[in-house]
Amino acid sequence: MTTGIGARVKRREDKRFITGKGKYTDDVRTENQAYAAFVRSPVAHANVKSIDKSAALEMDGVIDVLDGHQLTGDGIGNIICGWAVTSKDGSPMNMGAWSALATQKVRYVGDAVAVVIAETQQLARLAAEAVDVEYEELPVVAFADKALKDGAPQIHEEAPGNLIYDWEIGDAAKADAGLAEAVHVTEMEITNNRLSPNPMEPRSAVATYDEAEDHYTLYTTSQNPHVARLVLSAFYNVAPEHKLRVIAPDVGGGFGAKIYIYPEEITCLWASMKTNRSVKWTADRSEAFVTDAHGRDHISTAKMGFDADGRITGFKVDTIANLGAYMSLFSSSVPTYLYATLLSGQYDIQNLHANVRAVYTNTVPVDAYRGAGRPEACYLVERMMETAARELGMKPAELRAKNFIREFPHETPVIMTYDSGDFDANLAQAEEAADVNGFPARREEAAKRGKLRGLGYSCYIEACGIAPSAAVGGLGAGVGLWESAEVRVNPVGTIEILTGSHSHGQGHETTFAQIVAERFDQPIENISIVHGDTDKVQFGMGTYGSRSGAVGMSAIVKAMDKVEAKVRKIAAHQLEASEDDIVIEGGEVKVAGTDKALGWHEIGLAAYTAHNLPPDMEPGLKESAFYDPSNFTFPAGTYICEVEVDPDTGTTEIVQFTASDDFGTIINPMIVEGQVHGGIAQGVGQAMLEQVIYDEDGQLITGSYMDYTMPRAADLPNFSVHHASTVCPGNPLGMKGCGEAGAIGSPPAVINAITDAIGNNDLAMPATPQNVWRAYQAASAKQAAE
Amino acid sequence: MYPVSYHKPASVDDAVKALSSGEEAMVLAGGQTLIATMKQHLAAPSDLVDIRGIAELSGIKISGDTLSIGAAMTHAEVAASKDVQKHIPALACLAAGIGDPAVRHMGTLGGSVANNDPAADYPAALLALGATVVTNKREIAADDFFTGLFSTDLEDGEIITRVDFDKTEAAGYAKFAQPASLYALVGVFVAKRGGDVRVAITGAGDDGVFRSEALEAALAKDFSEAAAKGAGVSADNLMSDIHGDADYRAHLIRVMAARAVAGAA
Ligand SMILES: Cc1cc2nc3c(=O)[nH]c(=O)nc-3n(C[C@H](O)[C@H](O)[C@H](O)COP(=O)(O)OP(=O)(O)OC[C@H]3O[C@@H](n4cnc5c(N)ncnc54)[C@H](O)[C@@H]3O)c2cc1C
């Protein structure tokens, strides 16, 4: 079948996106529309002495100016962090209060203190400038290491010394012993640069309060509308769940930043009730830079010991994670359970220990961003491995292969149980596709042109579809991580799939339909995917952590199992055959080996007319399922990057980028390749271009595209993307997930290639021309001195 | 953006009149700088006087040894002009390397020069080529025109109508782009007329575009890549920012000067 599993079906959603007919939150216009603009702190840390609204309130067209005292006075709750991480001494994490509108104190540039509601967006913005806030400035700390120093400015009373938690995983004594017996120890200081997520569509909200029904509707840019409704209801007390409808229509990219429920959505809902108007807010790009949760920002030191054979004897990591000024929804889990649990990489490491301290700083909150913790782990492990290979005089591939895990399931010392994989196969496939054997000749040829050519590896492993719910609950998660689906076969046989997953670029309308088309042998045109509306779809957990394939589609499979069982019963009854002899084939439901058959639509009709159903069978053909996986899935692979550096300027060109991924079963190779391309583009962005920079005063220096470098097409090579898959044993389709792998696996490959080219392992991301030039100068100076 | 009145005059005289009509009227050309600053509430003109479409400000002409480019000519028009390509190829090249295609099809020579962004490309060309800025009132030598960061010798209400460039023996421009904005982190324009070599640097100076005496002296003696690379370019008075410290910029000035010399035609 051309539209089933494995087919390159063109994305069904693209017609509306490409022709400008997508319907995004900002496209929603309601009657009675008013607009919100936020009054934001221009300083990073201050007491709010007073807010003078009079000038703004006098402006024509200003409906109201609301502040945090009114908000908390109405019982709107503080913003929560949904994952409780416990420090190693057993104490709970030290979480400071976060009000959607600050009352006493502002803690980062961009922190909202008031909101203006006006007749037009322009008026609202002008009036926001007219709100006069008096700030009493306080000392600022914007950097994670400095925030932990004695005498650093104290950001939250609840977190003495700005320490949120001091957490560990693994066995420190064993790791120390392993390092002590090593014949070689590689030691590195590794930073993971801070990033701004930059989805193409900025965040937006349209909140409408219906006074007569005492009911709220929120259109918003969310990756998980049900979670948004739950949190808005249970924690922020906006409205009870049955009085709140959340709709996430077309959403133009999320990358994690649209998981969280931000001050703006909460405030718009509340303001709609206060003003009895529909309230709309859409961030512009400048606002996105100071309000969308940032990603990464780790400072680590790591030691890895090896025996004479190159086998890893011990690995110890100490990390400081900057969580910004407030704890965002999943911020606590990113540098712990999503990071340190992957520090074993693809390697059999018996002695492993990681310590993580999370700290407050006067910066934008930091949370999950494409990869979330796993890029930090992969970057650290893979920089260590490549550097160690160079120090040991071994080929990077050889050192890795020496330590590969080859038997599954494999339990790591950091609580993961890898279920499947063939790391040798990915390594071999990537090396062949990248023509690693031809590299020395290419390097020589480049040298003749005055260029430094380098080759770098990254053998990544990551964990997707975080689960099972009971296990993550035990680790502190405040939610379950299952997924739901409902399969509705209509009386005419067309099929609607209601999924708790949410598509914001992933192509679910295509891939989800493919598995249904295959299962029921129906034309894909007859299948539609419904998602993103809490009034239409049963509770679901949404899309992040590459979970929609492995978890979301598995729920659909489970519901299809139930539908199929009922279809068989109906067919067996009507065709007077045994259920076991019924097959679904060629769009019909048949008795195997006979010409007795019912059209698929006839089954639908039979189910809904209910004229001739088996005794005791309920009419209708609609089944739902909730699927809770038994384990994470573990996509893995090898990426090889080849670069050329211009030694005169430090400019780096990626001349070849090769990927070999193991994603398990692939539903639509074209969409998977697109995910890998996008992921690598983001990884290259992190490695070479992107960095959020704050100054000492907590002012954001990179607050626009004039200073924050987004990857452009010209910065990227043609990707050479390959698959060597092992089937995931944990879910019915055998899928592992592909949404984040590119962003996880690529940064160390790029940096390892550049450090190879310039002969200096000491290079930080982003490898801007200046950074590369300096590192090369340092290497040349050292060589000259020797 | 604040509310603003829009004018579309048909002649320079009408434009001048329109400029004196509002409290704080400003010339609008391609809008690539002005509109963005207005959106950010960093500029709040009462009136915008749109000079695109005024015939006197458009066109590219050669008379004798002089190439005249109308102030309202876009970067894309300059880049594509056969006359520019023939008369001063480096100038066409420079225009082709400004920003991205959208910017090049909107941004204008006059706007770039009047704005005098310390990282803009054209100011280096004007200074190195010894161009003449012609306004509705007078002619100003490039050496006198650029007076520091975002400032020029232009008076209130004065409109650039064209820029005149005299032919050179050889000229070249090499730009090292700032990765995010694609403006010049360092741009070096070299122009040679007999024994006289002028070298102008953009993107690097802490007071905007400037001429490099060290490079001019070195290249006047020996117009070669080696001479450019070996010149004693100091990091004093160079800018440091997140994209490049002064010493890196000083180094890039030598490298880009050598590339400009290598490509000079
Ligand atoms: C993304 C981006 C990238 C860019 N990259 C580069 C780059 O790489 N190199 C580079 O050099 N530039 C770059 N620019 C700047 C751009 O090329 C324009 O030259 C510049 O913005 C000004 O030209 P404009 O015609 O748009 O002028 P406007 O924005 O309309 O006006 C700018 C200023 O000049 C005044 N003005 C305009 N015309 C006249 C006139 N005839 N007489 C008197 N005053 C006048 C206006 O009043 C205003 O103060 C970039 C711009 C953007 C947005």
Side-chain angles (χ1 to χ4, degrees):
Chain A
M1 180 185 268
T2 54
T3 57
I5 292 174
R8 293 178 170 268
V9 179
K10 288 222 172 99
R11 291 179 16 129
R12 304 199 298 163
E13 44 273 82
D14 277 352
K15 183 173 178 190
R16 72 175 189 276
F17 294 147
I18 289 169
T19 57
K21 300 281 172 19
K23 196 164 166 71
Y24 297 88
T25 299
D26 190 61
D27 295 323
V28 173
R29 273 176 194 80
T30 58
E31 264 178 67
N32 216 10
Q33 191 70 72
Y35 297 84
F38 287 83
V39 179
R40 299 188 181 281
S41 172
V43 293
H45 200 193
N47 289 319
V48 179
K49 302 299 280 181
S50 63
I51 302 174
D52 181 355
K53 308 172 183 176
S54 53
L57 283 168
E58 273 164 28
M59 292 168 72
D60 262 355
V62 170
I63 298 160
D64 209 345
V65 180
L66 303 167
D67 63 37
H69 295 287
Q70 292 167 287
L71 178 114
T72 49
D74 279 355
I76 301 297
N78 282 332
I79 297 174
I80 55 148
C81 176
W83 195 308
V85 169
T86 306
S87 282
K88 58 189 177 193
D89 66 5
S91 60
M93 62 188 188
N94 303 317
M95 182 163 70
W98 184 11
S99 170
L101 296 175
T103 49
Q104 269 114 36
K105 239 181 162 198
V106 287
R107 295 183 173 86
Y108 69 98
V109 171
D111 210 350
V113 291
V115 65
V116 175
I117 312 298
E119 295 293 343
T120 68
Q121 188 188 51
Q122 178 178 323
L123 251 172
R125 289 185 177 187
L126 290 177
E129 286 180 15
V131 175
D132 192 7
V133 185
E134 195 192 330
Y135 297 101
E136 178 188 57
E137 288 196 48
L138 297 167
V140 172
V141 61
F143 309 112
D145 46 354
K146 292 199 174 154
L148 284 177
K149 294 249 157 75
D150 283 346
Q154 179 69 36
I155 298 172
H156 288 275
E157 266 171 38
E158 298 88 340
N162 301 315
L163 182 68
I164 298 170
Y165 52 72
D166 185 353
W167 175 91
E168 66 176 347
I169 193 166
D171 188 325
K174 279 179 75 180
D176 283 332
L179 286 170
E181 78 187 37
V183 300
H184 177 82
V185 175
T186 291
E187 212 174 325
M188 291 183 88
E189 266 184 43
I190 290 179
T191 57
N192 203 289
N193 43 331
R194 185 181 178 111
L195 305 171
S196 173
N198 286 297
M200 197 179 287
E201 178 206 23
R203 286 191 301 115
S204 178
V206 181
T208 309
Y209 176 61
D210 180 335
E211 196 183 7
E213 301 282 346
D214 194 23
H215 180 276
Y216 293 81
T217 303
L218 175 69
Y219 283 88
T220 187
T221 45
S222 175
Q223 300 178 213
N224 32 228
H226 280 97
V227 176
R229 186 180 69 163
L230 168 66
V231 174
L232 284 162
S233 170
F235 296 97
Y236 309 149
N237 307 324
V238 171
E241 271 180 290
H242 67 298
K243 291 288 187 184
L244 172 59
R245 176 183 184 187
V246 178
I247 304 166
D250 284 334
V251 174
F255 309 119
K258 292 174 183 169
I259 298 173
Y260 328 115
I261 294 81
Y262 289 87
E264 291 82 8
E265 291 94 306
I266 302 168
T267 303
C268 284
L269 278 164
W270 167 71
S272 172
M273 181 273 292
K274 281 301 247 198
T275 59
N276 213 353
R277 297 288 298 265
S278 173
V279 173
K280 179 179 201 168
W281 167 82
T282 300
D284 58 22
R285 193 56 69 183
S286 311
E287 209 171 6
F289 270 110
V290 293
T291 64
D292 290 2
H294 291 170
R296 317 238 156 85
D297 204 343
H298 282 196
I299 306 170
S300 300
T301 54
K303 284 185 199 169
M304 195 183 263
F306 296 86
D307 68 14
D309 248 6
R311 287 212 174 72
I312 300 165
T313 57
F315 186 25
K316 234 184 145 178
V317 179
D318 183 24
T319 295
I320 304 173
N322 187 348
L323 296 194
Y326 300 100
M327 289 187 75
S328 176
L329 192 62
F330 289 115
S331 58
S332 54
S333 65
V334 177
T336 49
Y337 295 107
L338 298 179
Y339 160 70
T341 53
L342 269 309
L343 284 171
S344 194
Q346 298 189 352
Y347 314 109
D348 183 2
I349 305 178
Q350 291 304 318
N351 310 313
L352 172 44
H353 179 260
N355 196 94
V356 179
R357 286 170 291 168
V359 301
Y360 279 122
T361 60
N362 293 116
T363 62
V364 170
V366 178
D367 207 325
Y369 167 65
R370 199 172 192 171
R374 291 151 290 161
E376 294 89 313
C378 174
Y379 182 66
L380 192 126
V381 172
E382 290 305 295
R383 291 270 336 252
M384 294 293 287
M385 289 304 279
E386 195 96 357
T387 304
R390 287 172 194 163
E391 289 174 356
L392 291 164
M394 285 173 77
K395 285 191 169 163
E398 187 192 340
L399 179 67
R400 286 177 169 92
K402 259 209 156 81
N403 289 284
F404 273 166
I405 293 162
R406 292 193 174 82
E407 272 169 39
F408 300 92
H410 173 92
E411 214 171 302
T412 72
V414 281
I415 72 170
M416 286 293 185
T417 304
Y418 299 166
D419 60 1
S420 59
D422 184 348
F423 306 146
D424 292 289
N426 291 114
L427 177 60
Q429 187 181 47
E431 284 203 298
E432 172 158 8
D435 183 21
V436 169
N437 290 334
F439 174 72
R442 295 197 293 277
R443 174 175 249 176
E444 226 170 274
E445 184 277 331
K448 285 190 192 125
R449 288 182 281 111
K451 293 284 168 64
L452 310 168
R453 199 150 169 137
L455 189 79
Y457 287 72
S458 160
C459 295
Y460 76 90
I461 185 160
E462 56 133 339
C464 295
I466 168 171
S469 298
V472 295
L475 300 178
V479 290
L481 285 159
W482 42 266
E483 196 46 274
S484 71
E486 182 172 306
V487 175
R488 292 181 183 169
V489 181
N490 295 322
V492 291
T494 56
I495 303 167
E496 285 160 315
I497 305 294
L498 283 66
T499 170
S501 299
H502 184 273
S503 187
H504 32 277
Q506 293 85 349
H508 294 175
E509 287 168 45
T510 308
T511 48
F512 285 18
Q514 281 181 250
I515 63 168
V516 181
E518 165 124 354
R519 180 69 174 268
F520 297 138
D521 211 351
Q522 289 300 300
I524 200 164
E525 306 77 57
N526 290 358
I527 301 159
S528 66
I529 307 297
V530 181
H531 68 103
D533 183 341
T534 59
D535 262 16
K536 288 186 185 163
V537 180
Q538 69 290 342
F539 199 104
M541 292 307 299
T543 291
Y544 37 84
S546 307
R547 67 193 304 277
S548 296
V551 190
M553 285 203 223
S554 295
I556 296 173
V557 170
K558 243 185 113 179
M560 288 196 297
D561 290 344
K562 297 184 191 174
V563 167
E564 185 176 331
K566 191 163 181 180
V567 166
R568 283 171 181 282
K569 283 200 173 79
I570 295 171
H573 175 75
Q574 296 214 342
L575 298 171
E576 295 171 345
S578 151
E579 264 176 61
D580 297 339
D581 294 336
I582 301 293
V583 290
I584 301 175
E585 213 176 76
E588 291 182 324
V589 185
K590 291 182 179 163
V591 182
T594 72
D595 59 0
K596 286 207 278 183
L598 287 171
W600 178 258
H601 61 283
E602 290 176 290
I603 297 280
L605 206 59
Y608 287 93
T609 55
H611 294 163
N612 182 17
L613 291 178
D616 300 331
M617 180 182 272
E618 287 177 15
L621 194 47
K622 177 188 107 157
E623 298 290 347
S624 63
F626 286 73
Y627 173 78
D628 197 353
S630 55
N631 190 2
F632 288 81
T633 63
F634 297 95
T638 292
Y639 289 176
I640 299 178
C641 178
E642 196 164 327
V643 299
E644 271 187 19
V645 175
D646 175 354
D648 283 344
T649 60
T651 304
T652 303
E653 186 194 350
I654 298 180
V655 286
Q656 186 176 286
F657 197 103
T658 310
S660 168
D661 294 294
D662 175 358
F663 295 143
T665 304
I666 288 172
I667 307 295
N668 183 326
M670 182 196 72
I671 285 181
V672 168
E673 283 158 18
Q675 289 286 317
V676 175
H677 290 180
I680 297 172
Q682 267 171 312
V684 168
Q686 161 151 39
M688 294 174 61
L689 305 165
E690 300 182 47
Q691 183 170 27
V692 170
I693 298 176
Y694 279 97
D695 70 10
E696 295 276 347
D697 298 326
Q699 291 294 333
L700 180 64
I701 305 296
T702 49
S704 85
Y705 291 148
M706 295 305 266
D707 287 303
Y708 188 89
T709 313
M710 289 294 283
R712 296 173 168 93
D715 298 314
L716 304 165
N718 268 330
F719 305 114
S720 166
V721 174
H722 310 267
H723 301 288
S725 299
T726 59
V727 170
C728 174
N731 59 64
L733 291 165
M735 299 177 68
K736 298 191 179 183
C738 67
E740 295 157 296
I744 292 167
S746 54
V750 174
I751 298 298
N752 288 337
I754 301 174
T755 54
D756 180 45
I758 61 176
N760 186 348
N761 293 325
D762 185 13
L763 176 69
M765 296 194 290
T768 59
Q770 172 169 240
N771 287 351
V772 173
W773 178 76
R774 283 199 196 288
Y776 177 62
Q777 294 293 311
S780 308
K782 202 171 151 215
Q783 215 177 23
E786 273 162 12
Chain B
M1 206 176 334
Y2 297 104
V4 63
S5 305
Y6 176 81
H7 307 262
K8 179 100 184 156
S11 69
V12 171
D13 285 349
D14 287 351
V16 171
K17 264 186 225 133
L19 277 176
S20 57
S21 68
E23 262 166 63
E24 209 190 316
M26 283 182 85
V27 172
L28 173 70
Q32 294 302 291
T33 295
L34 185 51
I35 300 290
T37 44
M38 287 171 67
K39 280 187 182 167
Q40 291 174 296
H41 290 184
L42 297 173
S46 59
D47 296 70
L48 284 180
V49 180
D50 187 346
I51 52 139
R52 289 169 309 169
I54 297 179
E56 298 143 273
L57 302 186
S58 72
I60 296 174
K61 280 197 305 278
I62 294 183
S63 42
D65 266 354
T66 305
L67 169 74
S68 300
I69 305 179
M73 297 309 282
T74 64
H75 311 325
E77 287 166 332
V78 173
S81 158
K82 292 274 174 295
D83 285 336
V84 180
Q85 286 167 8
K86 206 175 111 214
H87 203 79
I88 309 175
L91 195 57
C93 232
L94 172 148
I98 294 175
D100 52 48
V103 169
R104 290 196 288 275
H105 281 85
M106 290 297 287
T108 65
L109 169 63
S112 175
V113 168
N115 194 46
N116 193 19
D117 188 303
D121 296 295
Y122 270 127
L126 267 69
L127 199 54
L129 291 165
T132 305
V133 178
V134 182
T135 74
N136 59 321
K137 292 185 180 159
R138 57 192 170 132
E139 297 192 350
I140 312 166
D143 279 320
D144 304 323
F145 183 83
F146 301 107
T147 55
L149 300 177
F150 296 103
S151 69
T152 67
D153 196 43
L154 287 175
E155 291 160 9
D156 274 354
E158 192 170 7
I159 296 174
I160 302 174
T161 55
R162 64 168 206 270
V163 180
D164 290 345
F165 300 90
D166 284 343
K167 210 181 164 90
T168 60
E169 189 185 317
Y173 181 63
K175 167 182 180 172
F176 190 85
Q178 192 257 65
S181 70
L182 301 183
Y183 274 75
L185 188 70
V186 165
V188 180
F189 204 107
V190 300
K192 175 172 161 53
R193 287 189 187 90
D196 179 32
V197 176
R198 288 170 63 110
V199 180
I201 318 287
T202 188
D206 63 8
D207 197 29
V209 66
F210 67 98
R211 285 172 60 187
S212 165
E213 281 170 28
L215 277 164
E216 289 185 354
L219 291 174
K221 239 188 255 154
D222 173 16
F223 194 72
S224 73
E225 286 181 66
K229 268 201 164 168
V233 176
S234 142
D236 295 347
N237 304 322
L238 295 188
M239 213 180 334
S240 282
D241 60 21
I242 58 168
H243 304 287
D245 291 323
D247 64 329
Y248 179 57
R249 281 182 152 98
H251 168 78
L252 284 180
I253 288 173
R254 284 188 294 267
V255 175
M256 291 300 123
R259 290 183 186 178
V261 168

